[in-house]
């Protein structure tokens, strides 16, 4: 092992995923020298094993499903997808797991990249162990930002390690469709990958421990997605726990708590995420290795004046777009503190990630899509708001009928009865992912119900669901 001399920067960023890249972009734009440390690929989980490959796999599935709703086209799209072509397009969107373009982008903003395993080594200090064993010490004059994200959580199941299960990484980078695939979990990864691989030729069995799917959304979202998965041929089993997993002669055998024995070629475990903080030197700064990092709204770690935790690692909102939002806030806060400026950290200020608390948008790219922002009805009630849920079916909207015959979907807005604003909105149905930003603007802006009446939706679009929701609120 060879150690080099210490190199000083204004800011050191641990992790070069989208979140770390955005922290670096903001600090460099403010004129702060910035080093970025990455142990794998620049671009991170989202670019190579999550957002981009999963949506590339799902887009042909959704397009085919939409086409099947249209007379004059449906008869031409009944056959199976061209799985090799879909996988090749997925590979294109991951740049074939090469990060040259992302590295060029980092270089273009003037950030210095250090490849290797980065660890804190006391306050404002990071050591980087390169693949050849060389150790470089980086010191930060103003801030270290931890943006190391999460990894898949594997349950403590007898035999699981020997089975070599798929996690989200294998599910999004698979080179061929397994003949039979068991998916364990009921969240976003489980439902999206069940959707994709069933359409790409696998026979999928979805094992869900709870009562339904997508339990962080309104209940009807999971119900409609489960119904559609079953119609597509997925064997959806709720209330099902896995007791053991083995692999013999290439075949995976799963035994459930009810004693059922299921066989498959591969098994995907999608039961949650854990923070990627077990080996980044948290113990050297008085923090617990493997823990989530608690932060204030400027993303500064509680109890420190130099350490920031941005993105999934702080457990506020495990979504790429929300992490990038946090990165913009954190970068601005770091720059303000470095320059001696006063922080604008009141709610919705430039240095406060206020949206994390009640205005987080998300789209689940299943068939149908499920999209939500803000609080569900249950969450709003638990938070002490006096609210009312307003529901309408998309069948009441002319644009839904034009979108495709037999369009099925539902919308809900959760209205704060005291303030006459929206606390949350949920859409489920084909194409609704592109509607959610209008709801996000309404929730973030605290737009009064009375003003929303003057936001006229174009006819005949899916957006007319807003008018139907407002009419239902007025008439009841």
């Amino acid at each position: 092992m060879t150690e080099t001399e210490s190199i000083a920067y204004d800011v050191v960023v641990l992790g070069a995923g989208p979140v770390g890249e955005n922290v670096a972009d903001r600090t460099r734009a403010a004129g702060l020298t910035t080093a970025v440390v990455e142990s794998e690929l620049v671009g991170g989980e989202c670019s190579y094993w999550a957002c981009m490959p999963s949506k590339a796999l799902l887009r042909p599935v959704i397009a085919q499903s939409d086409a099947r709703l249209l007379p004059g086209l449906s008869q031409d799209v009944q056959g199976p997808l061209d799985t090799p072509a879909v996988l090749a397009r997925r590979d294109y969107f991951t740049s074939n797991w090469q990060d040259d373009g992302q590295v060029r982008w980092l270089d273009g903003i003037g950030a210095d990249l250090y490849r290797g395993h980065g660890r804190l080594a006391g306050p404002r200090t990071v050591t980087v162990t390169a693949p050849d064993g060389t150790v470089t010490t980086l010191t930060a004059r103003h801030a270290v930002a931890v943006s190391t994200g999460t990894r898949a959580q594997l349950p403590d199941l007898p035999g699981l390690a020997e089975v070599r299960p798929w996690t989200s990484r294998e599910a999004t980078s698979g080179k061929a469709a397994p003949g039979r695939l068991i998916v364990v979990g009921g969240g976003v990864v489980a439902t999206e990958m069940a959707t994709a691989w069933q359409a790409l030729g696998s026979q999928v069995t979805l094992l869900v421990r709870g009562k339904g799917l997508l339990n962080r959304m309104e209940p009807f979202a999971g119900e409609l997605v489960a119904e559609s998965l079953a119609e597509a041929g997925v064997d959806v089993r709720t209330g099902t726990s896995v007791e053991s997993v083995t692999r013999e002669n290439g075949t995976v055998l799963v035994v459930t708590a009810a004693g059922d024995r299921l066989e498959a070629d591969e098994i995907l475990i999608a039961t949650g995420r854990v923070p990627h903080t077990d080996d980044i030197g948290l113990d050297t700064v008085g923090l617990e290795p493997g823990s989530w990092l608690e932060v204030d709204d400027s993303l500064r770690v509680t109890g420190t004046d130099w350490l920031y935790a941005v993105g999934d690692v702080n457990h506020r909102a495990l979504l790429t777009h929300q992490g990038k939002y946090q990165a913009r806030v954190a970068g601005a806060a770091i720059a303000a503190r470095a320059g001696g400026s006063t922080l604008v950290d009141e709610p919705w200020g430039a240095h406060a990630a206020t949206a994390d608390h009640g205005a987080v948008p998300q789209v689940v790219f299943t068939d149908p899509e499920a999209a939500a922002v803000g609080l569900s009805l249950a969450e709003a009630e638990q938070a002490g708001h006096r609210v009312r849920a307003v529901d309408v079916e998309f069948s009441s909207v002319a644009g839904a009928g034009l979108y495709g015959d037999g369009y099925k979907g539902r919308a809900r807005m959760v209205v704060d009865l005291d303030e006459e604003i929206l606390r949350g909105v949920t859409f489920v149905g084909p194409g609704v992912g592109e509607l959610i930003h209008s709801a996000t603007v309404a929730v973030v802006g605290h737009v009064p119900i009375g003003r929303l009446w003057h936001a006229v939706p174009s006819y005949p679009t899916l957006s007319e669901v807003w008018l139907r929701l407002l009419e239902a609120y007025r008439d009841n």
Side-chain angles (χ1 to χ4, degrees):
M1 180 182 297
T2 303
E3 186 162 356
T4 64
E5 62 181 340
S6 177
I7 305 172
Y9 288 89
D10 292 325
V11 180
V12 177
V13 181
L14 273 181
V19 175
E21 288 177 323
N22 273 265
V23 173
D25 184 45
R26 292 298 83 212
T27 57
R28 284 298 302 130
L32 300 177
T33 59
T34 302
V36 180
V37 182
E38 177 54 54
S39 61
E40 293 188 286
L41 296 177
V42 176
E45 202 77 13
C46 176
S47 298
Y48 306 104
W49 302 287
C51 317
M52 295 305 290
S54 66
K55 277 54 188 181
L57 289 174
L58 286 159
R59 179 60 196 141
V61 179
I62 303 305
Q64 183 183 51
S65 179
D66 286 349
R68 286 174 173 171
L69 299 177
L70 296 170
L73 181 59
S74 60
Q75 67 274 15
D76 296 322
V77 292
Q78 293 302 318
L81 290 169
D82 183 342
T83 298
V86 173
L87 297 180
R89 186 171 185 266
R90 182 272 319 272
D91 294 351
Y92 169 80
F93 276 98
T94 63
S95 301
N96 289 288
W97 292 274
Q98 300 294 317
D99 64 1
D100 302 30
Q102 303 267 21
V103 171
R104 284 194 297 272
W105 180 86
L106 267 186
D107 183 61
I109 66 170
D112 291 344
L113 173 64
Y114 291 83
R115 289 192 182 273
H117 180 66
R119 298 183 84 256
L120 293 166
R124 304 175 190 269
T125 304
V126 173
T127 59
V128 184
T129 304
D132 65 2
T134 301
V135 178
T136 302
T137 299
L138 308 175
T139 59
R141 299 183 188 93
H142 299 293
V144 174
V146 176
S147 301
T148 50
T150 61
R151 64 174 183 273
Q153 180 179 37
L154 294 177
D156 185 17
L157 278 175
L160 185 60
E162 291 75 20
V163 166
R164 302 179 306 281
W166 277 12
T167 66
S168 54
R169 283 198 167 195
E170 290 77 18
T172 55
S173 62
K175 300 303 181 185
R180 300 163 298 174
L181 174 64
I182 291 174
V183 179
V184 181
V188 177
V189 172
T191 53
E192 288 190 345
M193 291 299 93
T195 299
W197 288 109
Q198 178 72 30
L200 291 171
S202 299
Q203 174 55 59
V204 176
T205 301
L206 182 60
L207 305 181
V208 186
R209 184 172 58 183
K211 295 186 296 184
L213 308 180
L214 303 176
N215 61 11
R216 298 197 176 190
M217 287 187 164
E218 299 285 7
F220 66 81
E223 292 166 5
L224 288 170
V225 170
E227 179 183 320
S228 179
L229 283 170
E231 290 175 354
V234 175
D235 182 1
V236 180
R237 304 190 186 192
T238 57
T240 301
S241 296
V242 176
E243 288 291 297
S244 67
V245 184
T246 56
R247 188 189 290 268
E248 297 181 8
N249 299 319
T251 298
V252 176
L253 173 63
V254 170
V255 179
T256 70
D260 295 329
R261 297 168 65 87
L262 307 173
E263 292 186 351
D265 300 291
E266 298 291 350
I267 181 170
L268 164 60
I269 304 295
T271 54
R273 310 286 296 180
V274 293
H276 210 167
T277 61
D278 53 312
D279 190 24
I280 62 168
L282 291 184
D283 54 307
T284 70
V285 294
L287 298 171
E288 182 180 351
S291 65
W292 302 101
L293 297 177
E294 182 181 342
V295 297
D296 62 19
D297 276 359
S298 71
L299 292 309
R300 190 166 61 176
V301 174
T302 303
T304 76
D305 64 359
W306 59 274
L307 184 63
Y308 292 72
V310 193
D312 288 5
V313 76
N314 62 40
H315 207 232
R316 286 163 69 108
L318 276 66
L319 296 159
T320 294
H321 50 272
Q322 208 69 19
K324 291 164 70 174
Y325 160 71
Q326 292 176 9
R328 295 189 292 272
V329 170
I334 291 168
R337 288 183 172 123
S341 302
T342 301
L343 258 64
V344 184
D345 57 358
E346 71 274 6
W348 308 112
H351 307 121
T354 313
D356 289 350
H357 300 298
V360 175
Q362 181 177 18
V363 179
V364 184
F365 291 84
T366 46
D367 178 24
E369 291 176 350
V373 63
L375 305 179
S376 67
L377 174 62
E379 289 169 339
E381 290 174 338
Q382 290 166 6
H385 300 295
R386 193 170 69 90
V387 293
R388 174 182 150 207
V390 180
D391 294 348
V392 299
E393 300 294 324
F394 269 95
S395 57
S396 65
V397 177
L402 289 168
Y403 192 100
D405 292 356
Y407 184 109
K408 293 171 62 176
R410 187 180 303 174
R412 166 175 289 182
M413 65 180 188
V414 178
V415 182
D416 186 310
L417 298 174
D418 295 318
E419 297 190 41
E420 288 274 301
I421 60 173
L422 302 184
R423 291 293 176 186
V425 180
T426 300
F427 301 126
V428 184
V432 299
E434 296 301 333
L435 288 181
I436 201 60
H437 192 61
S438 59
T440 303
V441 171
V443 171
V444 169
H446 288 179
V447 180
I449 290 288
R451 180 60 62 87
L452 284 175
W453 276 104
H454 299 281
V456 182
S458 297
Y459 180 87
T461 66
L462 291 175
S463 292
E464 271 205 307
V465 73
W466 280 107
L467 180 56
R468 301 287 91 84
L469 285 166
L470 293 168
E471 288 171 340
Y473 177 67
R474 176 197 62 193
D475 297 340
N476 293 285

